[in-house]
Amino acid sequence: MAGRKVGILDSGVGGLSVLREIRNRLPDLDLHYIGDSAWCPYGVRSSEEICGRVGKIVDYLLTQEVSLIVLACNSATIHAVEWLRNIYTVPFVGMEPGVKPASAATKSGVIGVLATEASIAGEKFHRLVDSTAHGVTVITQPCPKFVEMVERGILEGPAVDDAIHEYTDQIVEKGADVVVLGCTHYPFLRESIRRILPDSVTIIDTGEAVARRVASLLEEATGSGETVIETTGDLELWNQVVPVLLDRPAAALACRKLVEDSAQ
Ligand code: DGL
């Protein structure tokens, strides 16, 4: 498939960790990102609520003539991707916590999966564990404070370190040698997490694999490399936080407010 423009969505800024990987791999592709910060976090919401929000955003992205949509959100993928594929013809690339690569990499036979409460509760997640984590002990841990902090652009400091200890100490004590970042917000805390976890623990996230998948579906990326970023949330906050997350000058990254009506 030749593609000019790809839509990317998440509950907030987290999916920008996936956008970053797609941009690195496909510099000419036009990207249209929607962060649903007005409804963030998705991680505490029901399947019905997640599907409702994601459906609205997909409808809006389709008015922007995207040829493929990336669900840069594990929670949205786990709860909505099968439903979306049944009702829309546009192709979707979803993402799920890297239980499979983690199970292949572990030597201790214990892995930790950091993901949202919604992801961990999802049936699709249970199927993933049953089909890929044979003989491996999977310790799951929701990390809601990580999402709150990343949404505010807080990537390091004492509050971040305390939260990392709170969420990972028991995983390390139980012998995990691989930790999966199973929510797209978490890779923005990767450096802080790396500093706190023992060197013997491998950290896995699946953003790069998603970018590879997008590249393999689009044999040709023929856009002009434009990046449009829209949020349903606080535009002023986004204009401060997004340049920090993407390590780009604010002037190069003006975000736009997506007014709720246009996403109906
Ligand atoms: N970034 C999202 C994920 O990958 C969800 C974070 C949230 O809204 O709770 O699951």
Side-chain angles (χ1 to χ4, degrees), residues 10-15 39-45 72-77 95 115-119 144 147 151 182-186:
D10 179 46
S11 64
V13 293
W39 288 74
C40 188
Y42 281 3
V44 297
R45 297 189 182 278
C73 175
N74 295 265
S75 313
T77 303
M95 59 194 306
T116 69
E117 220 175 295
S119 289
V147 174
E151 284 291 310
C183 164
T184 52
H185 282 73
Y186 305 170

Side-chain angles (χ1 to χ4, degrees), residues 31-99:
L31 301 175
H32 194 129
Y33 183 91
I34 311 286
D36 196 16
S37 283
W39 288 74
C40 188
Y42 281 3
V44 297
R45 297 189 182 278
S46 65
S47 275
E48 290 69 27
E49 282 179 301
I50 294 173
C51 289
R53 289 306 303 167
V54 170
K56 283 194 166 81
I57 294 170
V58 166
D59 286 340
Y60 172 68
L61 280 172
L62 291 174
T63 68
Q64 305 301 304
E65 290 164 6
V66 298
S67 52
L68 182 148
I69 294 177
V70 179
L71 303 179
C73 175
N74 295 265
S75 313
T77 303
I78 286 170
H79 289 277
V81 73
E82 286 160 10
W83 171 73
L84 291 168
R85 285 182 176 139
N86 278 332
I87 52 178
Y88 293 92
T89 50
V90 67
F92 291 95
V93 172
M95 59 194 306
E96 53 193 15
V99 175

